[in-house]
Amino acid sequence: MAAAVLIETLKKSYGSIPAVKDISFKVERGEIFGLLGPNGAGKTTTIRCLCTLTKPDGGKVEVCGIDAIAQPKLARRRLGYIAQEVALDKVLTGRELLQLQAALYHLPSAAAKERIEQLLTLLGLTDYAEQKTGTYSGGLRKRLDLAAGLLHQPDLLVLDEPTVGLDIESRVVVWDFLRQLREAGTTVLITSHYLEEIDALADRLAIIDRGVVIAEGTPSQLKDRVGGDRVTLRIREFTAEEEAIQAKDKLQTLPFVEEIIVNTAQGNTLNLVVKRQSNPLSQIETTLTEMDLPIFSMAQSRPSLDDVYLAATGRTLMDEELAAAGSRDLKKEKKQAMK
Ligand SMILES: Nc1ncnc2c1ncn2[C@@H]1O[C@H](COP(=O)(O)OP(=O)(O)OP(=O)(O)O)[C@@H](O)[C@H]1O
């Protein structure tokens, strides 16, 4: 059976901005696949190309073996797309909105009625079905959006940042629902800039950075690949770069230290990779004391997906988010995307 998604050497620019430079990945049937990356990495552009909403400049896009560029209508029938922002008509009730959507999908009315009932129950929306959607909380709106995307029983559900702005309770409802969908055989592709979300949900993932895939695998494969435990060390609250480099040079001579990155975006914090068997903190402390350097904070942890990102880019996801936030004109992008 063909893969649920096949994307090869995808490219897409907006004017002079190369949103997607070279992205390839494959999503197998029945898995939850995560696209992880900071804001602006190119996730939305990638899935808009996948869902036939944006025409790529180059590359291959297939949905369940169908060429989505040559046969967008056919491809669309196989997928459900849940956009980042919920655009509900506020005067309709939840049920009316689903009925309208079902008509847009040309579902026969008896089948539509049954499917709507089923989805309202599955998503815990029965009690809210006759209320106007304008009164819904963010979590309810997202659930209704999920129901709308699933009306035509797609093989593949694509969700762009499904839990942005949701409280933790609603987030867990969405996660549980996506797991249930997978159990029932639907393939799920989800984008997120939340590490914990992808870590908790995805069977496999690709990390995207500035329009390219920098890593792909299962969460544990990727974490194992970056090696031992992490130590995050802050010498002072704001350490001078020179001092951080001095400490780095010395700490690098310790036998259990595998690698050190000085994170300039976070006050010259030192991110160390250390062998897992060692008990590194006391030896690091002794070394710094010998150099007459203080310790503002120090912590040891297992590698996370952020460490995978850091190892590949020299930046943490948070740094990248902050840098991207200052350099985008979201209003302008929205306008252009509507064209
Ligand atoms: N319609 C548009 N017009 C111009 N530039 C755009 C448009 N859409 C996206 N971009 C730019 O392309 C790059 C990738 O954006 P994209 O939205 O795909 O990233 P993302 O990883 O999905 O981030 P987010 O989650 O914030 O949407 C960014 O630099 C962004 O500013």
Side-chain angles (χ1 to χ4, degrees):
M1 207 193 276
V5 174
L6 179 70
I7 291 192
E8 274 177 15
T9 57
L10 186 72
K11 287 180 187 43
K12 173 73 190 174
S13 295
Y14 298 101
S16 61
I17 302 169
V20 171
K21 290 182 201 147
D22 178 7
I23 286 187
S24 304
F25 63 88
K26 194 173 171 181
V27 181
E28 299 296 349
R29 302 264 181 143
E31 68 178 356
I32 299 184
F33 190 92
L35 278 187
L36 174 69
N39 284 323
K43 306 180 298 293
T44 301
T45 305
T46 302
I47 62 168
R48 283 182 62 86
C49 292
L50 172 68
C51 297
T52 76
L53 298 167
T54 298
K55 203 159 188 279
D57 300 334
K60 186 170 170 180
V61 180
E62 283 184 13
V63 177
C64 304
I66 299 163
D67 180 339
I69 302 170
Q71 297 187 292
K73 258 195 187 160
L74 265 188
R76 267 203 296 270
R77 265 189 229 152
R78 309 297 290 272
L79 60 86
Y81 172 57
I82 317 281
Q84 212 170 100
E85 275 178 37
V86 190
L88 295 182
D89 187 332
K90 294 185 174 138
V91 296
L92 296 179
T93 67
R95 187 187 300 280
E96 285 166 347
L97 195 122
L98 293 179
Q99 283 164 345
L100 180 72
Q101 285 281 335
L104 292 176
Y105 283 125
H106 305 295
L107 295 187
S109 69
K113 203 162 173 246
E114 195 185 324
R115 184 77 182 138
I116 289 171
E117 263 340 300
Q118 198 186 20
L119 285 166
L120 287 172
T121 311
L122 256 178
L123 283 152
L125 285 169
T126 312
D127 290 347
Y128 308 94
E130 316 317 329
Q131 284 180 22
K132 288 195 168 46
T133 59
T135 65
Y136 280 20
S137 66
L140 283 180
R141 280 203 295 270
K142 187 52 85 177
R143 280 193 249 167
L144 188 64
D145 222 32
L146 277 166
L150 287 165
L151 276 169
H152 61 306
Q153 297 187 285
D155 297 307
L156 167 71
L157 186 68
V158 181
L159 305 105
D160 195 4
E161 303 267 6
T163 64
V164 161
L166 295 190
D167 56 64
I168 189 72
E169 212 174 302
S170 305
R171 190 176 287 185
V172 171
V173 171
V174 173
W175 289 3
D176 284 345
F177 182 71
L178 296 180
R179 291 193 185 104
Q180 280 177 39
L181 272 184
R182 173 187 53 192
E183 297 322 313
T186 306
T187 308
V188 177
L189 171 59
I190 164 178
T191 81
S192 184
H193 64 280
Y194 294 135
L195 298 160
E196 334 79 68
E197 178 153 273
I198 296 294
D199 211 354
L201 267 184
D203 300 307
R204 290 192 313 116
L205 71 138
I207 303 184
I208 296 192
D209 181 56
R210 300 183 182 182
V212 297
V213 173
I214 56 167
E216 187 183 343
T218 68
S220 53
Q221 272 170 351
L222 293 183
K223 287 185 233 168
D224 286 351
R225 226 176 276 162
V226 291
D229 281 3
R230 313 280 125 172
V231 173
T232 310
L233 165 67
R234 209 161 240 233
I235 297 171
R236 304 175 196 276
E237 190 173 5
F238 301 99
T239 313
E241 191 172 0
E242 203 178 302
E243 204 167 50
I245 289 171
Q246 216 181 338
K248 174 185 169 182
D249 290 345
K250 186 73 182 170
L251 292 170
Q252 227 152 20
T253 63
L254 295 172
F256 57 84
V257 173
E258 291 179 345
E259 197 191 343
I260 304 180
I261 293 173
V262 175
N263 189 341
T264 44
Q266 286 188 6
N268 295 315
T269 305
L270 276 79
N271 296 95
L272 293 81
V273 180
V274 297
K275 290 203 175 82
R276 204 164 272 174
Q277 314 85 312
S278 61
N279 173 19
L281 300 190
S282 63
Q283 293 182 66
I284 292 172
E285 189 175 357
T286 311
T287 309
L288 291 176
T289 309
E290 282 167 11
M291 296 176 75
D292 262 342
L293 289 178
I295 294 179
F296 179 73
S297 66
M298 181 159 68
Q300 182 175 1
S301 59
R302 284 274 129 91
S304 69
L305 289 177
D306 207 13
D307 295 311
V308 178
Y309 185 79
L310 179 68
T313 65
R315 293 165 277 120
T316 66
L317 272 168
M318 177 73 87
D319 301 337
E320 192 57 18
E321 301 264 283
L322 292 173
S327 63
R328 293 180 68 175
D329 183 346
L330 294 176
K331 261 195 190 158
K332 195 170 151 202
E333 283 178 23
K334 221 180 201 173
K335 261 195 205 155
Q336 251 181 297
M338 310 260 252
K339 279 183 190 164

